[in-house]
Structure formats: structure tokens, C-alpha cells
Amino acid sequence: MDTRTLENWIFSFNYKSLIIIAAVVIGMLLLRWIILTILKKLPKHHAVLRSIVNWFTFYGTLVFLLLYFSKAKWMFAMIFRFGKVDVTLFLIIVAVLIITLASRLSKISTNVLLPGIYNRYHLDKGTRYTFDRVVHYSIMIIAIIVSLTTVGINLSALTVFAGMISVGIGFGLQNITSNFISGVIILFERPIKVGDRVLIDNIIGDVEKINMRATVIKTGTNEHIIVPNSYFLGEKVVNRSFSDPQIRLTIPFNVAYGTDVEKLRDMLMEIAREESFVSPAVLLDPEPSVSFVGFGDFCLNFELSIMISDYNQLGTIKSNINFRINKLFMERKIEFPYPQRNLHIKSIDREIENNHVF
């Protein structure tokens, strides 16, 4: 930027206009505050109305500046030169209007227009997120191109920046580029998608966001893990809901030797059926099963297997069934085994025996 050019623009600025601009901004902010105070009486629609008021305040101020100062010299005076283009305040405001309007259009499309289409075709959460990202990036790229063209910047001049970026990639942006491309592949190939439950380094979490560089995973303890996108394409990742949201819950437990295993199986099947009435996610088709795993050193080993339709309820259902098993064992006096060791003494010193140590 030429310092002298900027100084000339500052000196050409009419400072009386600055008072008018300040008055308009203060007036718009005061009007916004009054309207929002009144809208507090409508809590049901407060969020939507607040967004509309903010939209009106911002764009109303910019449009007023463009119309009121449409003949002001400082509005069209050159601030700096980009290539062969003289950039003025008027062009900057127009570019900002185009980009911000595009951002608003993107939010309206993803929050208002597209959900109706998603519901009509019963698209899952991951597919919806992919379409939302594609629509958002497409609208913003078009807006940036239109704003640059409106300002008068020749897009061919951006080849210089493309060359600079390519040099930057060669010197240390390989990781960022790899993650960005991996993010695009993930959105379209969908090895994981928003809402999936994944297992990474023995940590279970749900995919919450797939950003341009990294994916955000929320764990059951409400912690967020930021994972680079390239990790999902280069490492082994367990996706528990890749093609089917159903998951098998297996609960191991032990009983003492001498327990009637036939009655035990019937009781555990009844526990699974009772839990299905409380938790609709518990499926009776396929039917729950009780497996006699084997004989332990001091116990009989069993496993109760149940299919669950919603993996998000895995922990809750497992806890409920454990409570039921514990209650049932106490009521039926079924013994929980514990490790036992027998000590056999083959010989003992006579002197110790005479002293009545034992």
C-alpha cells in the first residue's frame, strides 16, 4: 500500500461526514436496543426476531452510507492500488455487502430451505451435514469471485498468489494441505460422518463436526477431541455405526459352581425383555441370548448379549441391566463367586507343633 496515497485519501475526507456517520451508527444501535427490549416480551420467537433486527441494523447502515454519500469524493477516492485496480471505499463496502449477504444466504439455505428437502427424502444426519458444507462452500466461493470481479480485480492476477501458496506448501504447508484434501474426501466418500460413533486410541466418541482441517469428536464425558482429517484416511479407525446404527451389547458375569444354569438363563432372558419395555432401543429381534462361555477356576462364566438400535444409549442400558442382574441375584440368593485358594500343609516342624503355634 502506498502511504502517500492513503494520506491523500485521509486529507480528502470530509470530517463533517464523519459526524453524520457516527450519528447514523449511534441512531441505528439505539433503535436496535429499543426494538430488542420490546421483543423480549416474545420469548418464543426472540431468537429469530433478534437475528432479523441485527441483519437490518448492519445492512441498513451500509446501504445508507452508499446512498447518502453516493456523490462524495472521498467515497470514490483511491485508498490503495491492487495491481491495476484503484481500490476505493465504495468498492470495499460493495465487496463486504456481497460476501456477508452470501454468508446470510448460506445460513438461510442450510437452516430453512434444505431441512424440508432432507425430511422429504429421509436423509440421515451425516448426509445432511455433507450437503450443508457443499452448499456453504459453493455459495461463498461464488460470492468471493463476484466480489473480486465487482471490485475490478482480474482473477488471472491471482495466479501470483497461487504461486506463492504452492511455494508455501513446499516449505511447510504439506500437513495443512493434506488435512484439507482429506476433509474433502471424508465429506464425499464418507468413511465417517457426523453422528457416527468412533473408537480412536481406546477413546469412544461421536463425530460432531467435520471442518476443513480437523474433525471434532465429542466423548461421553463431554470432552472434545480435535483429530486431523488425514488421520481417518491413514490410520485404522473403528466406526461403530458405519453401515448400521445397531450395536451388540455384551455383559459378562460369573456365578458360583452349583448354580442352576437353566433357570439362570431363563431369568436373564426375562431381564432383557423387561429392559426392552423401559428402553425402546433394546431389540427383541434378533432375540437376546445367554452364552455359557466356560468353566473358570472358581466360577462359571456367562455372557448376556443384546442388540441395541441406538449406540448412544449403550452405557445407560448396560448400567440398567447390571442393576437388574444384581437385584435378581440378591432376591434369588444366587452367589457371586470370589477367588478361593486352599493351602495344604504336608509337613510341619515338631517343635513348632509342640509350641501350639497352630
Side-chain angles (χ1 to χ4, degrees):
M1 180 185 294
D2 188 356
T3 306
R4 182 175 297 179
T5 303
L6 181 59
E7 291 176 354
N8 293 335
W9 180 83
I10 294 174
F11 286 121
S12 67
F13 189 80
N14 185 353
Y15 289 97
K16 292 182 181 179
S17 301
L18 182 60
I19 299 175
I20 297 175
I21 294 173
V24 171
V25 172
I26 294 173
M28 293 294 288
L29 291 176
L30 181 62
L31 179 62
R32 173 183 175 274
W33 178 78
I34 294 173
I35 295 175
L36 291 179
T37 302
I38 297 174
L39 292 179
K40 287 183 179 180
K41 299 179 181 180
L42 302 172
K44 185 176 181 181
H45 306 286
H46 184 263
V48 177
L49 295 175
R50 180 185 179 89
S51 178
I52 294 175
V53 171
N54 291 336
W55 184 89
F56 173 79
T57 303
F58 179 75
Y59 292 105
T61 304
L62 289 183
V63 171
F64 172 81
L65 293 177
L66 289 177
L67 296 178
Y68 187 85
F69 297 106
S70 59
K71 296 182 180 180
K73 294 182 179 179
W74 54 266
M75 180 68 76
F76 298 92
M78 182 180 66
I79 301 177
F80 63 91
R81 176 167 292 177
F82 185 84
K84 298 181 179 180
V85 178
D86 296 338
V87 178
T88 64
L89 182 61
F90 177 83
L91 295 180
I92 293 174
I93 294 176
V94 170
V96 170
L97 274 175
I98 294 174
I99 294 176
T100 53
L101 280 173
S103 178
R104 293 283 180 175
L105 178 61
S106 173
K107 291 182 178 180
I108 293 174
S109 300
T110 55
N111 296 333
V112 180
L113 302 179
L114 293 180
I117 300 175
Y118 298 154
N119 295 331
R120 180 178 180 181
Y121 292 99
H122 307 288
L123 299 181
D124 58 78
K125 186 178 179 181
T127 305
R128 296 183 181 201
Y129 184 85
T130 300
F131 276 110
D132 286 345
R133 293 293 88 193
V134 171
V135 170
H136 173 72
Y137 292 147
S138 300
I139 292 177
M140 294 308 299
I141 289 174
I142 294 173
I144 292 174
I145 294 175
V146 171
S147 62
L148 292 177
T149 305
T150 302
V151 171
I153 297 176
N154 189 353
L155 296 181
S156 61
L158 298 180
T159 55
V160 178
F161 292 96
M164 294 173 61
I165 292 175
S166 62
V167 173
I169 292 174
F171 280 99
L173 297 180
Q174 300 98 327
N175 189 26
I176 296 176
T177 305
S178 174
N179 289 321
F180 173 76
I181 296 175
S182 298
V184 175
I185 294 174
I186 289 173
L187 286 176
F188 286 95
E189 187 178 309
R190 303 176 69 207
I192 61 167
K193 56 186 180 295
V194 172
D196 282 357
R197 172 154 292 189
V198 296
L199 176 63
I200 299 176
D201 293 337
N202 295 323
I203 300 176
I204 300 175
D206 299 327
V207 179
E208 193 171 71
K209 290 181 181 179
I210 302 176
N211 296 321
M212 296 179 64
R213 191 194 63 84
T215 296
V216 180
I217 297 176
K218 184 179 180 180
T219 66
T221 56
N222 202 31
E223 296 177 330
H224 291 79
I225 304 174
I226 311 300
V227 183
N229 290 329
S230 58
Y231 179 89
F232 296 99
L233 301 182
E235 302 292 337
K236 183 185 293 184
V237 179
V238 177
N239 189 342
R240 290 188 169 181
S241 51
F242 179 71
S243 59
D244 191 347
Q246 297 182 6
I247 187 172
R248 180 175 296 277
L249 169 62
T250 301
I251 301 177
F253 61 94
N254 305 320
V255 295
Y257 276 98
T259 304
D260 190 336
V261 295
E262 299 294 335
K263 290 184 179 179
L264 178 65
R265 179 181 58 188
D266 296 337
M267 288 187 293
L268 291 171
M269 293 292 291
E270 185 62 27
I271 286 178
R273 296 189 187 96
E274 290 176 356
E275 183 62 26
S276 67
F277 295 114
V278 178
S279 305
V282 175
L283 302 177
L284 298 180
D285 184 20
E287 188 178 12
S289 63
V290 179
S291 302
F292 194 157
V293 178
F295 301 89
D297 293 338
F298 53 88
C299 61
L300 303 176
N301 302 322
F302 286 85
E303 286 183 352
L304 173 61
S305 297
I306 303 173
M307 289 299 295
I308 299 176
S309 61
D310 185 2
Y311 52 82
N312 291 315
Q313 300 186 34
L314 181 67
T316 301
I317 295 173
K318 183 176 182 179
S319 176
N320 291 343
I321 292 179
N322 283 332
F323 273 113
R324 292 180 183 274
I325 292 176
N326 183 69
K327 182 180 179 181
L328 178 68
F329 280 23
M330 293 180 65
E331 291 176 350
R332 303 297 176 87
K333 296 182 179 180
I334 299 175
E335 183 181 352
F336 283 105
Y338 54 89
Q340 299 181 16
R341 295 291 183 269
N342 296 324
L343 179 62
H344 298 277
I345 301 177
K346 292 184 178 181
S347 63
I348 189 171
D349 193 290
R350 290 296 179 183
E351 183 179 352
I352 296 177
E353 184 179 7
N354 293 333
N355 292 332
H356 307 285
V357 176
F358 295 96

